[in-house]
Amino acid sequence: MTIETSPSFGPSDPSDPSDHAAARAALLDRPGLTGRPRRAALARLTDDWLAGLLAAAGAPSSGVALVAVGGYGRGELSPRSDLDVLLLHDGPIAAELPERIWYPVWDAGAKLDHSVRTPAEARAVAAADLKAQLGLLDARHLAGDGALTAALRSAVLTDWRASAPARLPELRELGRERAERHGELSFLLEPDLKEARGGLRDLVALDAVAATWLADAPRDGLEAAALRLADVRDALHLATGRATERLSLQDQDQVAERLGVLDADTLLRQVYEAARTVAYASDVTWRAVERVLAARSGRGRRAGRPAFRFTGAGRGTGAVARGAVARRPLAEGVVEQDGEAVLAQAARPAADPVLPLRAAAAAAQNGLTVSYATVRRLATECRPLPVPWPDEAREQLVTLLGAGEAAVPVWEALEAEGLVTRLLPDWERVRCRPQRNAVHRWTVDRHLVETAVRAAAMTRRVARPDLLLVAALLHDIGKGWPGDHSEAGEVIVRDLAARMGFPAEDTETLAVLVRHHLTLVDTATRRDPDDPATVEAITKAVGTLPELELLHALTEADALATGPAAWSSWRASLVDGLVARAAAQLAGGGSAPVEAAPSAEQERLAVEAARTGAPALSLLAQAEGADPGSEPMGVELTLAVPDRPGLLGTVAGVLALHRLTVRSAGLRELDPIGAGPVLLLSWRVAAEFGELPEAARLRADLRRALDGSLDVSRRLAERDAAAPRRKGIPTPPPLVAVAPAVASATATVLEVRAHDAPGLLHRIGRALDGAGVRVRTAHVSTLGAEAVDSFYLTDPAGRPLTAGRAGEVAAAVRAALG
């Protein structure tokens, strides 16, 4: 938008600096003139002044032009912006001509960045200096020979497009260096509006990328973000009277008042939201650029594939349109293409409300991000999740959080399109909320995500990694509500946990963790550790040893995610000591979990297996929380087999061959007719890619594997060897430990905690079989992407293992898991 400057604001004599200064002051004081209209009016006023200076300097009518470049070239001037001006000429000019233009500008107090060049010189400087080239991309004619300016603009754009393959990586590196120096605008209490990541410089870079015609940024919300940042900079200039870009704490109240914003916190939230829009658009754009440049390097064309073309916000499954490319399956409805997770061609977003979480989890677990167009499509086509959530949705959220660092860009993509707030409505109150505490590095919402990232590295320390990760994500959800945020958070998390489908017992645990997430560190640093009342305060808060373990891990993850000043070896030692005392008080005798009585169907299968000496099984498909008529997502498999070595690993291997993921499993012995023990295996499994195997085929393969005609291990090895190698993400190493003897009086309990992977239970079962021990009972759980398993072992005579023997078995399992 261009605002014509009123004649009363124009200087009567362009060479008189006081006239221009008075006109400029009158314009800035004009009531109701703010934002972009004021910047445009200020640019027009300056244009007229400089044009008058060129004429007064006696410039020839041809062969000389005055050109605005950089920010001034874009036609918008903030109150204290520099004037970037090029005096362009195509032949000799009078030596005094530039001085007749520059000196009045300096006398007026304006900060001037000036140069005098021929078109050839300007192009040569641009070829050597990327920043100069970027400035020339915004060249705008002010006065003089317009054809000279037009020719330069055309040449500069041609040069820019021709040099784009070399210049774009350099431009991206400049952005990375700025981000390292100035940080991320979205999280800084005193952000640099121009240089920080997500700031005004990044908007210039996005326009430069668009000028290459190779890629373009997603435009939704980008213009509004640019206007917000520019308006805040204007208000900052006027409030301080200086050409500053740093929104300092002492200036934020004045800037908020000038903009008519409620307070400084509201101002920062608006700035953060704008910066996130810019940063996300930058991420999407640079990924598109990388794909384009990779294609142009020859790899794509040598393979006979056409070059990439960025498609923006279209309805396709990826941000790049191209010919046939490899699409590797990641999960049901999700495939990998060009280094991103996109929707499979058969995906049905409108009928699959879990798809956003499934796509996000699959992407994060494979170290990918979700393509821009895919996230857009998920946001527009997917229905909200039913309440309470189906089990799969909860498991996929835990899987996403368990990916650690790899979850952050995926979470940002979901948040950019409003999917996070749709999943967790209370997230809106903490989104972009600043924390005015020097200890905190992040806004409230990003701190919650960072805490989950830290907690993902601690999942081996707790028996319920799913509760740890969800508590980490929600522990500060009460910030933004009146009163103690821990108390408010307890109320909120009870509602959220019920919404997410957690059972009552787990909901209570989450509420305890959120309510007391500061209790350990506060008590350890402020109370006498030797006072029995100190330990009692902790045991009353948590009540059980598993809850204490969870609270300990959450406390550490929270502190590490806060910032360097929030955690130290001294604090860690105090908390560790307090936890050790509380654990000793909470510890007591244990036993194997009490098994429910076998159902009538289980007893029938056990009797059949005992009488026939052959396996008996039943399959029951279930559609978890889905609409009637939807495809089944889970299978309850019950298998009764006369006791024999290697049974657990063999059955698990067959399930892995059929791409069935074990969500939970149980194994126990029955003797229904007194003819000898029958092992009863109860499995809850899900199809990896949504299609369940035929029951008859699964039954046949189980029998073949049990009679030895199907070599499960060889088939799995062949499939793994044929599968494409994917880098994946770093995960904590497996934990294999022998539980204390009090865990069971009749068996040795081996606990295994590991990142879930195809064939994991098969490898564990083979290792136990190879060690010559009997698995009397097993309890297997997959919580998100983490397996938490317990195996009750005896020797062949049915006795608990000796300490030495138990250690050997643990070592064998550890070796099998790598």
Side-chain angles (χ1 to χ4, degrees):
M1 180 178 181
T2 300
I3 299 296
E4 296 291 339
T5 305
S6 169
S8 63
F9 291 119
S12 58
D13 181 1
S15 64
D16 185 346
S18 62
D19 280 1
H20 174 72
R24 183 176 178 281
L27 188 152
L28 292 177
D29 289 341
R30 181 176 174 181
L33 185 61
T34 61
R36 174 180 279 178
R38 181 172 60 198
R39 291 189 292 275
L42 187 56
R44 180 59 183 270
L45 175 67
T46 307
D47 292 352
D48 293 344
W49 177 44
L50 292 176
L53 289 175
L54 181 67
S61 59
S62 65
V64 175
L66 202 59
V67 183
V69 298
Y72 181 29
R74 289 188 289 276
E76 292 193 350
L77 278 180
S78 288
R80 297 288 175 176
S81 290
D82 297 351
L83 300 181
D84 297 333
V85 183
L86 166 64
L87 183 60
L88 189 66
H89 63 96
D90 63 358
I93 59 172
E96 64 274 12
L97 177 62
E99 295 179 355
R100 291 175 180 172
I101 302 171
W102 308 147
Y103 273 100
V105 176
W106 289 326
D107 291 343
K111 189 174 181 181
L112 179 67
D113 187 351
H114 62 90
S115 58
V116 182
R117 295 189 177 108
T118 65
E121 290 170 341
R123 292 175 69 186
V125 169
D129 184 347
L130 177 58
K131 293 180 179 179
Q133 190 169 34
L134 293 176
L136 285 174
L137 290 176
D138 293 311
R140 180 171 59 86
H141 183 69
L142 295 178
D145 190 343
L148 192 61
T149 303
L152 177 64
R153 277 185 52 83
S154 178
V156 166
L157 282 170
T158 299
D159 292 344
W160 175 241
R161 288 164 186 154
S163 63
R167 277 296 170 92
L168 288 180
E170 185 181 353
L171 178 59
R172 186 173 195 185
E173 188 58 33
L174 282 178
R176 287 171 171 163
E177 291 173 358
R178 284 200 319 274
E180 289 178 1
R181 288 196 306 271
H182 299 282
E184 294 201 43
L185 200 161
S186 300
F187 308 119
L188 298 169
L189 280 176
E190 294 187 308
D192 188 309
L193 299 170
K194 188 174 185 179
E195 303 292 345
R197 180 175 182 266
L200 295 166
R201 286 278 192 206
D202 282 343
L203 286 163
V204 174
L206 291 177
D207 287 341
V209 172
T212 66
W213 292 349
L214 298 181
D216 193 12
R219 293 290 163 179
D220 291 339
L222 196 59
E223 182 178 3
L227 287 175
R228 170 51 58 180
L229 293 177
D231 289 349
V232 173
R233 180 171 65 169
D234 287 359
L236 180 62
H237 285 188
L238 292 172
T240 62
R242 295 180 288 109
T244 180
E245 312 295 342
R246 185 169 296 281
L247 187 58
S248 299
L249 290 172
Q250 65 266 24
D251 301 322
Q252 290 173 9
D253 287 324
Q254 294 181 64
V255 171
E257 184 178 356
R258 279 186 173 274
L259 292 171
V261 174
L262 179 63
D263 54 26
D265 275 5
T266 304
L267 170 68
L268 278 183
R269 290 191 77 174
Q270 292 180 355
V271 169
Y272 292 164
E273 288 172 352
R276 289 193 188 182
T277 299
V278 175
Y280 178 61
S282 297
D283 289 343
V284 171
T285 303
W286 285 117
R287 288 199 301 272
V289 168
E290 285 181 352
R291 292 192 295 274
V292 171
L293 297 185
R296 289 198 166 202
S297 69
R299 293 193 297 273
R301 297 192 177 194
R302 280 196 300 272
R305 298 195 299 264
F308 294 88
R309 176 174 60 83
F310 187 66
T311 63
R315 288 171 54 85
T317 56
V320 173
R322 58 179 297 177
V325 292
R327 294 165 65 89
R328 293 181 287 189
L330 298 175
E332 170 62 12
V334 188
V335 298
E336 176 186 355
Q337 178 180 311
D338 296 322
E340 294 181 321
V342 304
L343 295 186
Q345 294 177 354
R348 299 182 300 166
D352 189 356
V354 181
L355 188 55
L357 281 173
R358 191 185 310 122
Q365 285 292 327
N366 286 279
L368 307 172
T369 190
V370 185
S371 80
Y372 169 71
T374 293
V375 181
R376 293 278 294 171
R377 186 178 172 194
L378 291 171
T380 55
E381 295 185 26
C382 283
R383 294 172 299 149
L385 282 168
V387 178
W389 293 5
D391 290 349
E392 188 198 358
R394 190 171 61 255
E395 291 164 1
Q396 295 293 353
L397 174 63
V398 172
T399 301
L400 168 62
L401 299 177
E405 288 285 354
V408 175
V410 177
W411 188 270
E412 289 177 341
L414 297 182
E415 193 161 35
E417 298 299 334
L419 284 166
V420 171
T421 305
R422 185 192 298 181
L423 291 167
L424 307 170
D426 294 276
W427 194 262
E428 182 61 30
R429 277 187 173 264
V430 298
R431 190 173 64 87
C432 293
R433 179 172 291 278
Q435 303 201 76
R436 294 187 177 276
N437 185 322
V439 173
H440 277 278
R441 296 176 56 196
W442 310 105
T443 53
V444 177
D445 59 336
R446 181 57 180 269
H447 168 70
L448 294 175
V449 175
E450 290 291 331
T451 304
V453 168
R454 297 287 187 168
M458 303 176 186
T459 51
R460 302 294 178 269
R461 291 169 43 177
V462 298
R464 290 296 302 274
D466 56 332
L467 297 183
L468 172 62
L469 292 169
V470 173
L473 183 70
L474 301 177
H475 74 278
D476 275 347
I477 199 70
K479 288 187 174 179
W481 291 85
D484 186 321
H485 78 275
S486 297
E487 295 178 358
E490 178 185 3
V491 176
I492 295 169
V493 83
R494 288 183 188 278
D495 177 68
L496 279 177
R499 177 187 182 89
M500 296 162 71
F502 280 103
E505 184 178 355
D506 291 349
T507 296
E508 184 61 31
T509 298
L510 288 170
V512 167
L513 295 175
V514 171
R515 174 66 181 87
H516 293 289
H517 71 271
L518 296 176
T519 299
L520 273 181
V521 72
D522 286 350
T523 305
T525 56
R526 299 176 184 178
R527 300 273 293 272
D528 179 3
D530 295 323
D531 186 344
T534 302
V535 175
E536 186 178 359
I538 301 301
T539 57
K540 283 184 176 180
V542 294
T544 67
L545 193 55
E547 283 187 353
L548 178 63
E549 291 176 344
L550 285 166
L551 186 61
H552 187 192
L554 175 60
T555 299
E556 185 174 342
D558 181 19
L560 290 172
T562 298
W567 196 245
S568 63
S569 57
W570 172 73
R571 287 194 174 205
S573 65
L574 290 178
V575 171
D576 290 349
L578 178 58
V579 168
R581 290 179 174 88
Q585 186 165 317
L586 290 171
S591 60
V594 177
E595 295 281 4
S599 66
E601 175 65 8
Q602 289 174 333
E603 288 185 340
R604 183 190 68 78
L605 291 173
V607 169
E608 180 182 342
R611 286 177 176 172
T612 63
L617 64 88
S618 69
L619 291 166
L620 176 63
Q622 295 183 336
E624 281 185 26
D627 293 337
S630 64
E631 295 182 5
M633 297 297 297
V635 170
E636 297 287 345
L637 167 63
T638 305
L639 176 66
V641 185
D643 194 5
R644 49 162 291 174
L647 180 64
L648 179 64
T650 299
V651 176
V654 172
L655 298 181
L657 273 179
H658 284 267
R659 298 191 181 277
L660 291 172
T661 301
V662 178
R663 291 182 175 175
S664 64
L667 180 153
R668 59 172 166 170
E669 290 182 349
L670 295 177
D671 189 356
I673 60 175
V678 170
L679 293 184
L680 185 69
L681 295 94
S682 301
W683 305 79
R684 182 168 170 263
V685 297
E688 187 175 354
F689 299 116
E691 294 186 7
L692 294 171
E694 294 180 1
R697 184 178 175 187
L698 179 60
R699 183 181 290 106
D701 283 350
L702 282 169
R703 288 174 174 167
R704 289 172 57 211
L706 292 171
D707 67 24
S709 61
L710 174 62
D711 190 336
V712 175
S713 298
R714 181 178 61 81
R715 289 280 300 276
L716 285 173
E718 290 173 350
R719 191 181 71 184
D720 291 345
R725 296 293 179 183
R726 191 180 287 115
K727 184 178 180 181
I729 58 171
T731 58
L735 175 66
V736 181
V738 179
V742 294
S744 174
T746 59
T748 297
V749 180
L750 185 71
E751 296 179 345
V752 180
R753 299 174 185 175
H755 191 76
D756 192 31
L760 174 71
L761 190 55
H762 172 66
R763 295 197 299 275
I764 296 173
R766 287 195 65 198
L768 295 175
D769 184 39
V773 296
R774 293 180 64 235
V775 181
R776 196 190 69 195
T777 307
H779 302 276
V780 175
S781 297
T782 302
L783 305 169
E786 299 298 315
V788 180
D789 306 338
S790 298
F791 303 93
Y792 288 73
L793 309 176
T794 68
D795 63 17
R799 299 179 300 243
L801 307 182
T802 64
R805 186 78 180 97
E808 293 173 357
V809 173
V813 173
R814 204 174 291 119
L817 299 182

